């Protein structure tokens, strides 16, 4: 099982992270890049992708690996960032092709992109808001799995981390859509674990309570009492880097 005390040593890895523009995804991206790992990142916001690119000190004049009406990408010899929406199966499909063509098949995938509904009783949550939560938190993960798992299976190795939540294991009022999506992630992860061939593993990982925009939307000002994404990222990075095939099907917490 995962050795949380290890520092995440070993050779550099290629890590795909969704939702890199803010919060946990952004902090984890910067932490792993600082440790020398290669990042494949995606987010819906082109502006925030550009800002992250600058922070990673990628050349601003680096030619894009590929571009289309649904995707814009930037690359250097090390990292690859792309503006895509994981809710779009076609966009994720094109993203996977881009990654394969660039010979950047990930060793680790972190399905981090997520959103939450505004605090509300389920009968007061608008249909479009419910759809946004499910389409991002659940279907977005399925889209990534659909198009990237075959690349990992071909290489006969890979670790998939699906970001879950404490609310994916115990209920809370007024965030029923979010709870539903994260309970689904727990079930999806355990089911896919039974489908994977040797050499691969998938886990559901709860980050714990972290002061992100999503937490603030639920907790208000009291969210500031909890750890920042920057304080969380080193612990999460070490844990993720040390996951092995033996962790397949596990529900873990940072």
């Amino acid at each position: 099982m995962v050795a949380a005390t290890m520092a995440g040593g070993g050779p550099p890895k290629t890590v795909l992270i969704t939702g890199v523009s803010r919060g946990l995804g952004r902090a984890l991206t910067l932490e792993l890049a600082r440790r020398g790992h290669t990042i494949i990142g995606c987010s819906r916001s082109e502006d925030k992708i550009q800002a992250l690119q600058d922070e990673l000190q990628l050349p601003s004049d680096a030619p894009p690996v590929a571009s289309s009406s649904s995707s814009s990408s930037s690359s250097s010899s090390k990292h690859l960032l792309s503006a895509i929406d994981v809710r779009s199966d076609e966009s994720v499909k094109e993203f996977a092709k881009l990654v394969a063509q660039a010979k950047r098949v990930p060793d680790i995938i972190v399905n981090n992109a997520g959103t939450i509904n505004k605090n509300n009783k389920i009968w007061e949550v608008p249909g479009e808001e419910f759809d946004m939560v499910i389409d991002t938190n659940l279907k977005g993960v399925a889209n990534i799995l659909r198009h990237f798992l075959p690349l990992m299976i071909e290489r006969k190795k890979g670790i998939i981390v699906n970001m879950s939540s404490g609310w994916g294991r115990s209920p809370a009022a007024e965030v029923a859509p979010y709870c539903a999506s994260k309970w689904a992630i727990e079930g999806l992860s355990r089911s896919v674990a039974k489908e994977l061939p040797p050499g691969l593993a998938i886990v559901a990982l709860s980050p714990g309570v972290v002061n992100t925009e999503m937490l603030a939307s639920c907790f208000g000002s009291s969210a500031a009492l909890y750890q920042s994404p920057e304080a969380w990222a080193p612990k999460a990075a070490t844990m993720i880097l040390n996951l092995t095939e033996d962790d397949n099907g596990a529900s873990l917490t940072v």
Side-chain angles (χ1 to χ4, degrees), residues 175-199:
V175 285
Y178 181 80
C179 288
S181 72
K182 293 304 183 180
W183 282 64
I185 286 297
E186 293 281 335
L188 177 72
S189 301
R190 294 184 189 187
S191 181
V192 174
K194 296 180 179 296
E195 301 171 354
L196 294 179

Side-chain angles (χ1 to χ4, degrees), residues 47-85:
D47 290 344
K48 290 182 179 179
I49 281 286
Q50 181 64 51
L52 180 59
Q53 173 184 313
D54 293 342
E55 191 154 358
L56 289 171
Q57 297 182 330
L58 304 186
S60 59
D61 59 349
V65 175
S67 63
S68 69
S69 59
S70 62
S71 169
S72 65
S73 306
S74 302
S75 72
S76 71
S77 59
K78 192 167 183 65
H79 307 292
L80 188 157
L81 305 179
S82 187
I84 69 161
D85 188 340

Side-chain angles (χ1 to χ4, degrees), residues 42-227:
C42 66
S43 169
R44 287 183 295 166
S45 170
E46 291 192 25
D47 290 344
K48 290 182 179 179
I49 281 286
Q50 181 64 51
L52 180 59
Q53 173 184 313
D54 293 342
E55 191 154 358
L56 289 171
Q57 297 182 330
L58 304 186
S60 59
D61 59 349
V65 175
S67 63
S68 69
S69 59
S70 62
S71 169
S72 65
S73 306
S74 302
S75 72
S76 71
S77 59
K78 192 167 183 65
H79 307 292
L80 188 157
L81 305 179
S82 187
I84 69 161
D85 188 340
V86 295
R87 295 175 300 170
S88 168
D89 184 66
E90 187 60 33
S91 293
V92 173
K93 179 180 179 180
E94 292 304 313
F95 185 42
K97 287 182 180 179
L98 165 66
V99 169
Q101 290 167 1
K103 301 187 187 308
R104 307 281 186 88
V105 176
D107 300 297
I108 301 171
I109 292 174
V110 182
N111 279 310
N112 166 75
T115 190
I116 196 168
N117 60 287
K118 295 178 182 178
N119 286 13
N120 238 334
K121 295 178 174 61
I122 187 63
W123 56 89
E124 295 175 347
V125 176
E128 59 271 19
E129 188 174 357
F130 187 94
D131 289 347
M132 170 70 83
V133 173
I134 298 300
D135 289 352
T136 303
N137 297 3
L138 180 56
K139 292 183 181 179
V141 171
N143 290 339
I144 291 288
L145 297 180
R146 183 176 300 113
H147 298 294
F148 281 91
L149 264 179
L151 302 179
M152 286 182 154
I153 291 170
E154 185 176 353
R155 292 179 61 193
K156 299 182 180 179
K157 64 177 183 177
I159 300 291
I160 302 98
V161 177
N162 293 332
M163 295 302 283
S164 182
S165 170
W167 286 345
R169 300 167 189 172
S170 61
E174 298 194 335
V175 285
Y178 181 80
C179 288
S181 72
K182 293 304 183 180
W183 282 64
I185 286 297
E186 293 281 335
L188 177 72
S189 301
R190 294 184 189 187
S191 181
V192 174
K194 296 180 179 296
E195 301 171 354
L196 294 179
L200 281 77
I202 187 168
V203 304
L205 179 64
S206 170
V209 187
V210 188
N211 181 17
T212 62
E213 291 179 27
M214 285 174 54
L215 189 72
S217 78
C218 305
F219 284 19
S221 60
S222 63
L225 299 173
Y226 297 91
Q227 64 182 328

